[in-house]
Amino acid sequence: MKTSIATVSISGELPDKLDAIARAGFDGVEIFENDFLAFDGSPADVGRMVRDHGLEITLFQPFRDFEGMPEPHRSRTFDRAERKFDIMQELGTDLVLVCSNVSPVSLGGIDRAAADFHELGERAAKRGLRVGYEALAWGRHIHDHRDAWEIVRRADHPNIGLILDSFHTLSRRIDVNSIRSIPKDKIFIVQLADAPQIEMDLLYWSRHFRSMPGEGDLPVTEFTTAIADTGYDGYYSLEIFNDQFRGGSTRSIAADGHRSLIYLGDQVRRATQSTASQLPSMPDRAKVKGVGFVEFSADPKDAADLTGILHTLGFRRLAKHRSKRVDLFGQGDIRIIVNTDEKGFANATFAVHGVSAYAIALVVDDARETYARAIALGAEPFEQPVTEGEVAIPAIRGVGGGLIYLLDDRSDLGRFSEIDFEPVTDDTGATPAGLETVDHIAQTVGYDEMLTWLLFYGSIFEVGKTPMVDIIDPAGVVRSQVLESTDGALRITLNGAENRRTLAGHFIAEKFGSGVQHLAFRTDDIFATAEALRQNGFKPLPISPNYYGDVEARFGLDPNLTERLKAGNILYDRDEHGEYFQLYSTTYGEGFFFEIVERKGYRGYGAANAIFRIAALKKALRPEGVPKP
C-alpha cells in the first residue's frame, strides 16, 4: 500500500511538514499550491527537498475552474494550465489535480467538458504529464464522481484520468458500488478523509471538519474496499482540512495520518482478497479480556497517603515485589500496583507528574501479537531492564507518555504476579467493600489530542466509540467520548479539556500533561459497598442535598430510595436499559479521584450527573495561586 499525504493536512512551514511526513513513514506527498507559493525557494528546490527526504511528489494541486468556460475565459484557463505544467516539470511530478468547476460563469454539458479535457490531455502528453479530474461535492455542474467519470470516459485520452475523494463521495451519500466498474488504470490517485456526521453546508463541513480515516463517522472503509476491488495499486493519499490539525503538532498529526492509512489498509485487506498482496499484513485487532492492573508511581510519603485511601476502599496488600519497592493490592478482580522504587521509568514519571496512574495492563488473547500490531501501527515501544527471573512484559507508550502493558494466559505473562511478587499478610484490618472489577478508566487529555487517542485505541484494540457528549463544568465544557468493547471488558472514557479552569484542564496543567484522572470500580450492591466503605473510614464526596429533591422528581423515585441515596452521597441515573448508581471519593493530589458504580443494565456513564460531581470535586481543589503544601 503506497501512502501519501497532502501538505495542507498538517501545520507548519513546508520544510517542517516534509520532515514530519517522512518521519511518519509516508511514501509520497501532495504539494498543495499555497504551501509552494509561501515557500521562498524555486519549484526545483522544493522537488530536491522532497526527494532528499526519500519521498515522491504524488500530485500538484489544485487547478480550479477549468472545464466548460466560455470565451475569453476558456483561452485563459489553458494559459493557466500551461503555467501549472511548467511548475510541475520543475517540481518533478507528473500529475495535477483539476477539481470540478464552481465558477458562476461556467457552462454545463458533459460533452463540452469532455472536449476541454481531451485538449488538455493533448497538451499534457507533449510534456509527459497527466491530469486527474475530481468531482467537488459542491461543484456547480459536476458534484458526483459518476459524472466526473463519464467526462473522463468521453475525453478518451490516456493522459486524462479520475481522482476519487472519499469525502466528496460520502458526504453526498453516493453509492460506492459505482466505483467498482471504473477501470483501475483510469484512477490516477485516491484521496481519503473522514468526518464527523454533521448536517451543515458541504463546503464549510469540508474545509473545517475533515479528519483522518477512522476518526469520523463516514464509511471510508467501504469506499476504499470498492476501490481495491478494481485492482487499483496506486497511492492512497490523505487530504485533510481541519482547524484542529492546523494548530496541532506537525509530527503527531503526520503520525496519526500514517497510522490511519495503515489501519484502513488492514481493514480493506480483511474485506477483500483481490489486493491482499498490496496491503499490509498484521495480526487482527486485539480483543481485551479485562484490566490486569493499574500501576501508580509515588514516593514513600505520597504512597502512604495513597495506600491509606486504598485501604478505606477495601483493598488489601497482597504481595511485594521480590527485588523492588513495589506493592500489589487487590480486591475482587482488581489489582493496583504502587511503585515507589527509586530507579526506572516509574520514578522518572513521579519526578515529572507526581503521584499518577501512569501504567495500565490490558489482558488480551495474545500479548505478542497485540504488541506486533501496535508497532506496525506506529505505537512507540517501551522497554526497561528487568532483573534475572522477572517477567519482561511487552509494553507501548500511551496517553501522556504513560504505559500500556500487555498480558495474556499463553506464557509467564499470565503468572507475572506469582513470579515477580511474594505474598504478604495485610494487617491493616481493611474490610473488603464488594468491589469486583474495573468498570472504566477515565483519561483526561487536551481536546486537540482526542482524535489521536481515539484512533490509537480503535486501531489496536477491538473497541467501538460512542457519540461525543458535552460534559458541563461550571468553568467551561469538556468533550467526552468513550471507547468500549462490546462485552464491557474494557471501557475508556476520553475527556478533552479546552481550558485550564475546568477540573479536567486543572488536572492537565498541574500534572504537566494528560493522564488517568479517575478509576471507576464496579460493585453489585452500591448500598452494601457504601456501608463497608464507611466502616473503613472512607470519606465520600459530599453531594448537595438539593440534588436529591430534583432527582426524585425527575425519575419518580420512591422517597425511601432517595433518602438512602442522600445518606450515602450516591448519585443516580437511568436510561432505557436500566439504572446506574455512582459514589465518588474526594480529590487526591491535583484532581485525581476514585468512583464506585453499580450498573443494572445501564449502558452510559452518568453524564447528566457530571456537573454536580464536578462542582463538588472543585470545592476540594487547592485554589489557584496557593502553593502546594
Side-chain angles (χ1 to χ4, degrees):
M1 183 181 191
K2 297 191 292 186
T3 61
S4 170
I5 186 171
T7 54
V8 72
S9 305
I10 57 178
S11 64
E13 303 296 328
L14 185 58
D16 299 326
K17 293 185 180 193
L18 295 177
D19 181 65
I21 289 166
R23 286 175 180 269
F26 286 94
D27 304 302
V29 59
E30 296 181 22
I31 299 297
F32 201 75
E33 187 172 49
N34 287 348
D35 286 306
F36 161 67
L37 295 176
F39 182 68
D40 291 335
S42 68
D45 292 334
V46 173
R48 279 192 295 271
M49 193 162 52
V50 170
R51 289 183 286 278
D52 286 346
H53 279 95
L55 299 168
E56 178 182 356
I57 300 177
T58 55
L59 177 67
F60 183 53
Q61 67 140 318
F63 183 39
R64 304 183 189 276
D65 297 335
F66 165 70
E67 80 282 10
M69 297 293 274
E71 291 292 1
H73 304 284
R74 184 177 186 275
S75 296
R76 286 202 293 270
T77 63
F78 282 99
D79 292 339
R80 287 193 295 117
E82 294 289 356
R83 173 57 183 152
K84 294 280 189 187
F85 292 165
D86 291 339
I87 296 171
M88 290 170 62
Q89 289 186 303
E90 289 188 66
L91 283 171
T93 186
D94 73 335
L95 180 62
V96 64
L97 178 147
V98 177
C99 48
S100 59
N101 208 321
V102 299
S103 171
V105 303
S106 64
L107 305 172
I110 297 289
D111 287 329
R112 179 183 287 107
D116 288 343
F117 273 106
H118 184 86
E119 181 175 340
L120 189 62
E122 288 289 289
R123 296 187 183 211
K126 292 176 182 177
R127 300 183 184 230
L129 304 177
R130 299 178 300 146
V131 176
Y133 184 42
E134 173 188 76
L136 293 177
W138 52 89
R140 181 171 174 80
H141 303 288
I142 303 298
H143 45 253
D144 186 319
H145 71 252
R146 293 169 294 191
D147 294 329
W149 163 235
E150 182 59 22
I151 288 171
V152 168
R153 191 186 70 80
R154 294 190 194 186
D156 192 24
H157 198 287
N159 294 66
I160 301 295
L162 187 66
I163 292 178
L164 292 168
D165 184 300
S166 62
F167 181 84
H168 295 304
T169 292
L170 300 176
S171 63
R172 282 190 165 269
R173 299 180 173 87
I174 298 168
D175 184 4
V176 299
N177 284 315
S178 58
I179 292 170
R180 291 183 165 88
S181 63
I182 301 172
K184 67 174 185 177
D185 61 316
K186 297 305 289 184
I187 302 174
F188 281 3
I189 197 169
V190 174
Q191 294 181 321
L192 297 167
D194 207 336
Q197 194 65 61
I198 308 172
E199 293 299 326
M200 63 168 54
D201 174 75
L202 281 173
L203 178 57
Y204 193 83
W205 187 20
S206 172
R207 287 289 177 261
H208 299 278
F209 292 98
R210 293 200 204 189
S211 59
M212 306 298 181
E215 293 180 338
D217 303 315
L218 301 180
V220 181
T221 302
E222 289 82 351
F223 172 89
T224 312
T225 299
I227 290 171
D229 282 343
T230 69
Y232 173 79
D233 58 0
Y235 275 97
Y236 290 89
S237 189
L238 297 171
E239 186 192 42
I240 312 294
F241 299 90
N242 186 295
D243 296 343
Q244 185 175 318
F245 295 175
R246 291 185 182 105
S249 163
T250 306
R251 286 193 182 181
S252 65
I253 300 300
D256 286 351
H258 191 258
R259 174 179 290 131
S260 75
L261 286 180
I262 299 303
Y263 176 37
L264 177 64
D266 179 59
Q267 291 174 292
V268 172
R269 181 180 65 84
R270 296 174 190 280
T272 178
Q273 298 302 312
S274 60
T275 57
S277 62
Q278 302 157 12
L279 295 167
S281 178
M282 65 182 79
D284 201 356
R285 289 195 304 167
K287 179 177 176 58
V288 178
K289 297 179 177 180
V291 177
F293 62 80
V294 177
E295 182 168 342
F296 286 82
S297 61
D299 66 2
K301 178 183 179 300
D302 288 317
D305 294 337
L306 176 59
T307 56
I309 295 172
L310 291 175
H311 285 138
T312 68
L313 287 166
F315 285 89
R316 291 181 173 179
R317 182 170 174 249
L318 303 180
K320 66 177 183 178
H321 199 277
R322 298 184 187 278
S323 62
K324 300 174 183 175
R325 290 168 50 178
V326 179
D327 291 324
L328 175 65
F329 295 79
Q331 182 176 183
D333 292 331
I334 308 165
R335 295 295 178 266
I336 302 292
I337 291 175
V338 179
N339 190 328
T340 59
D341 207 56
E342 295 180 348
K343 299 177 182 178
F345 185 72
N347 182 260
T349 299
F350 174 77
V352 175
H353 303 290
V355 179
S356 61
Y358 81 102
I360 302 165
L362 299 179
V363 182
V364 295
D365 284 329
D366 190 315
R368 304 296 176 188
E369 286 199 348
T370 303
Y371 179 81
R373 179 179 179 87
I375 299 306
L377 287 161
E380 183 181 348
F382 172 81
E383 292 182 13
Q384 70 177 358
V386 297
T387 59
E388 186 176 355
E390 289 181 16
V391 178
I393 306 176
I396 55 176
R397 302 293 286 270
V399 167
L403 303 181
I404 298 175
Y405 287 108
L406 301 168
L407 301 173
D408 62 27
D409 296 325
R410 294 172 177 264
S411 63
D412 286 346
L413 292 173
R415 300 174 48 249
F416 87 95
S417 61
E418 302 169 27
I419 296 171
D420 288 8
F421 290 80
E422 57 186 31
V424 299
T425 300
D426 189 301
D427 56 3
T428 61
T431 302
L435 306 184
E436 298 293 338
T437 62
V438 174
D439 184 84
H440 60 273
I441 297 171
Q443 295 186 310
T444 297
V445 301
Y447 176 64
D448 59 351
E449 296 180 74
M450 281 194 69
L451 290 176
T452 293
W453 296 110
L454 287 166
L455 177 64
F456 174 88
Y457 283 116
S459 63
I460 298 172
F461 303 104
E462 195 176 295
V463 291
K465 59 186 178 184
T466 64
M468 186 175 291
V469 298
D470 292 342
I471 302 299
I472 305 303
D473 182 296
V477 176
V478 175
R479 318 290 180 184
S480 183
Q481 196 157 14
V482 178
L483 290 151
E484 58 186 10
S485 56
T486 54
D487 61 1
L490 177 64
R491 295 185 177 100
I492 294 176
T493 63
L494 287 174
N495 299 310
E498 295 188 71
N499 74 71
R500 66 170 294 159
R501 294 184 299 111
T502 61
L503 181 70
H506 176 90
F507 176 82
I508 291 175
E510 294 299 326
K511 287 292 186 181
F512 298 103
S514 304
V516 175
Q517 186 169 7
H518 89 260
L519 294 172
F521 304 129
R522 187 160 70 248
T523 178
D524 291 332
D525 187 336
I526 193 76
F527 295 107
T529 291
E531 176 57 26
L533 294 178
R534 187 188 65 78
Q535 293 179 16
N536 285 336
F538 175 78
K539 296 179 180 179
L541 178 70
I543 302 299
S544 168
N546 296 326
Y547 165 83
Y548 294 98
D550 176 71
V551 81
E552 180 180 301
R554 277 192 293 129
F555 293 108
L557 299 182
D558 184 306
N560 292 328
L561 175 58
T562 305
E563 285 304 311
R564 295 183 74 193
L565 294 171
K566 184 177 179 180
N569 289 286
I570 297 168
L571 298 162
Y572 178 88
D573 196 22
R574 184 192 298 163
D575 63 14
E576 65 272 26
H577 305 288
E579 297 178 298
Y580 193 54
F581 301 86
Q582 299 170 278
L583 174 62
Y584 290 95
S585 73
T586 55
T587 56
Y588 172 70
E590 297 298 336
F592 181 88
F593 56 96
F594 293 99
E595 177 183 6
I596 298 97
V597 306
E598 180 185 356
R599 293 180 181 274
K600 292 186 175 181
Y602 181 92
R603 297 184 185 177
Y605 296 84
N609 288 327
I611 187 170
F612 312 114
R613 180 258 299 170
I614 292 170
L617 286 167
K618 291 182 79 170
K619 292 175 184 177
L621 285 181
R622 176 173 53 86
E624 290 282 345
V626 176
K628 297 179 182 179

